Amino acid sequence: MDNRITEEARHFIGEISRFVRDECIPAEDAIEETGTLPEPLVTRMKDLGLFGLRIPASYGGAGMNLLDYCFVLKELSKSHDAIRARMSINNGIGSMAIVNDGSEDQKSRYLPVLAGGAAIAAFALTEPGAGSDASAIATTAVKTGGGWLLNGMKHFITNAPIADIFTVIAVTDKEKRARGGISAFLVEKGAPGLSIGALHNTMGGKGWLQAEVIFEDCFVPDAGLIGAAGSGFKTAMKTLNEGRLSAAASAIGIGERLLSMGVDYAKLRKQFGKPIAEFEAIQWMLADSATELFAADRMLADTAFRFDSGEDIRTQSSMTKLFATESAFRVADRVLQIHGGMGFMRETKVERMFRDIRAYRIFEGTSEIQRYMIARDLLKD
Ligand SMILES: Cc1cc2nc3c(=O)[nH]c(=O)nc-3n(C[C@H](O)[C@H](O)[C@H](O)COP(=O)(O)OP(=O)(O)OC[C@H]3O[C@@H](n4cnc5c(N)ncnc54)[C@H](O)[C@@H]3O)c2cc1C
């Protein structure tokens, strides 16, 4: 384990490892079948303080630095992806706008309930017409007496059907758009004019729900504006910057679990009178997987450490997200191949994990967008 991870976090990672082995993995099949997390498991997650790891201690969280958090998240990601998703949104994209740019009132109103897991968060940026180009969003917020009226539609929003608090990004000045014309708002479940639309039917990620979020003259009081009007694009980008490292951490965790499944199966499965692990073709798949995961792990530790030291990690977080998620996908493909026909069967967890890991190359910025941002930094004057 990276020697920059604090002693306290190392102990906690050990505890999470046991939680994953003894309580999360046994619940996986039920989660996949029902598409929901069992309540006793969610209660355990609350008891472990998992919903508030990144939230400052002064607001009921653990105040973990990003390095420690990423490695806890990596460990938890070795279980069903819905478990990871439920905890990581409250710690990441669902709360970071409040932590970074929220008012004192917003922090004390929302952060303690998010940290304790009593409330579920969602982050609503993406729209049917604006995905990679987030500055093209069409949802508007118009000033009215005592607040703002939001109109528009978001889609692919994780947690939307179960969320209590939404961070919503909307246009407040159509001329300025990303240059001072986009703002961030906090919208509570039940706000007049807020409704949840269709639930998306996804190829993987069972149990972590994506849905449309619709705003029809949805009234948000002035107290719901995060930071100053016009600062919302910066707030959103800051939130995603951190989110990219979380995505990388989870992808590495999933990849490491898959690799250990690949190693076990290669030793167990016999063909031509010997374990397939003795065939060089299998060994190379395992070796390449271990090498890529090791590199991704080091990139993650280095980038998170730099973030905690106050460095600007925009480019490094893109590199880490890109490499970790692409590597983890290759690992999933190789491990499925090592399992032969069995890897294609629903009864193996490999098949599920292969479907789950696919989304990581898309959300929090696609691989193409990460490459674009890395190249833009390289080519700037
Ligand atoms: C499981 C899941 C969960 C999600 N959760 C959330 C959430 O909670 N909140 C939220 O706001 N959003 C969420 N999203 C949305 C996600 O962030 C977007 O899907 C992502 O940013 C890509 O946008 P898009 O789907 O519109 O694809 P598009 O932007 O339409 O991209 C289509 C293709 O074109 C490529 N492309 C686009 N622009 C360029 C370019 N300049 N150069 C090269 N290639 C380009 C893309 O890489 C991609 O391959 C989620 C998505 C998924 C799959």
Side-chain angles (χ1 to χ4, degrees):
M1 202 179 294
D2 192 280
N3 59 15
R4 291 166 294 190
I5 295 172
T6 60
E7 199 56 39
E8 205 185 346
R10 282 160 195 256
H11 284 297
F12 192 55
I13 290 167
E15 197 177 345
I16 295 306
S17 180
R18 289 186 290 280
F19 173 60
V20 166
R21 185 192 62 202
D22 300 339
E23 297 172 69
C24 300
I25 291 180
E28 284 182 344
D29 290 346
I31 297 170
E32 191 63 15
E33 224 165 85
T34 61
T36 53
L37 292 185
E39 264 321 300
L41 193 71
V42 177
T43 304
R44 278 284 289 137
M45 291 169 72
K46 289 178 188 172
D47 292 346
L48 285 163
L50 285 173
F51 292 100
L53 297 178
R54 280 289 286 154
I55 293 175
S58 45
Y59 298 101
M64 253 186 199
N65 66 30
L66 191 58
L67 176 67
D68 286 353
Y69 171 68
C70 281
F71 281 81
V72 173
L73 181 58
K74 187 182 94 163
E75 203 56 37
L76 189 73
S77 302
K78 295 177 184 172
S79 58
H80 195 287
D81 207 31
I83 300 172
R84 182 282 310 166
R86 182 68 70 86
M87 76 75 97
S88 71
I89 308 261
N90 270 35
N91 280 290
I93 57 174
S95 66
M96 277 305 123
I98 311 174
V99 171
N100 291 330
D101 296 323
S103 66
E104 191 45 49
D105 278 355
Q106 289 167 346
K107 287 180 183 174
S108 44
R109 181 178 171 94
Y110 297 113
L111 293 180
V113 283
L114 291 175
I120 294 175
F123 175 77
L125 170 65
T126 306
E127 300 181 2
S132 299
D133 182 7
S135 68
I137 55 170
T139 297
T140 54
V142 175
K143 191 78 190 83
T144 180
W148 300 77
L149 279 183
L150 269 60
N151 279 288
M153 186 177 102
K154 304 286 179 181
H155 76 168
F156 302 167
I157 307 307
T158 301
N159 278 350
I162 53 170
D164 301 288
I165 302 156
F166 297 80
T167 299
V168 181
I169 311 298
V171 178
T172 42
D173 184 331
K174 284 183 181 161
E175 298 300 312
K176 293 186 184 160
R177 304 196 67 85
R179 298 175 194 283
I182 288 179
S183 305
F185 297 89
L186 285 165
V187 183
E188 293 184 18
K189 178 175 90 175
L194 168 72
S195 59
I196 306 305
L199 190 65
H200 300 291
N201 197 359
T202 54
M203 81 179 260
K206 272 270 171 65
W208 60 292
L209 314 163
Q210 281 82 40
E212 297 168 348
V213 181
I214 299 155
F215 305 93
E216 289 165 308
D217 283 337
C218 172
F219 179 76
V220 181
D222 283 329
L225 176 69
I226 303 176
S231 65
F233 199 70
K234 273 193 192 145
T235 295
M237 292 306 117
K238 243 190 291 178
T239 301
L240 291 174
N241 220 4
E242 244 188 271
R244 287 190 181 116
L245 284 194
S246 304
S250 297
I252 300 167
I254 296 171
E256 286 181 358
R257 176 161 173 218
L258 277 161
L259 177 58
S260 75
M261 290 160 79
V263 168
D264 290 348
Y265 191 80
K267 286 186 192 163
L268 199 73
R269 175 71 175 164
K270 285 191 178 146
Q271 286 296 284
F272 300 96
K274 51 183 165 181
I276 60 169
E278 290 185 22
F279 300 124
E280 198 177 55
I282 302 289
Q283 291 172 4
W284 283 28
M285 284 196 270
L286 294 173
D288 286 348
S289 299
T291 305
E292 286 187 50
L293 289 173
F294 173 57
D297 185 271
R298 296 300 73 216
M299 288 172 82
L300 176 69
D302 184 68
T303 309
F305 181 74
R306 285 177 190 226
F307 177 90
D308 291 330
S309 311
E311 279 185 46
D312 179 351
I313 55 146
R314 261 174 294 184
T315 304
Q316 284 76 15
S317 78
S318 284
M319 289 174 173
T320 307
K321 199 262 175 183
L322 171 67
F323 187 75
T325 57
E326 294 281 337
S327 296
F329 181 72
R330 285 190 290 270
V331 171
D333 190 42
R334 291 186 197 115
V335 171
L336 196 150
Q337 192 69 14
I338 289 169
H339 280 72
M342 195 49 81
F344 195 69
M345 302 300 151
R346 285 265 151 127
E347 66 204 75
T348 70
K349 291 174 195 269
V350 178
E351 178 271 343
R352 184 199 86 223
M353 293 166 80
F354 179 80
R355 285 185 287 110
D356 288 351
I357 199 70
R358 186 62 184 85
Y360 281 75
R361 292 166 59 201
I362 299 169
F363 63 70
E364 308 268 356
T366 64
S367 292
E368 292 73 32
I369 291 302
Q370 306 308 332
R371 288 189 179 95
Y372 162 72
M373 291 194 290
I374 297 161
R376 190 179 58 180
D377 188 42
L378 284 171
L379 296 169
K380 72 172 186 249
D381 288 332

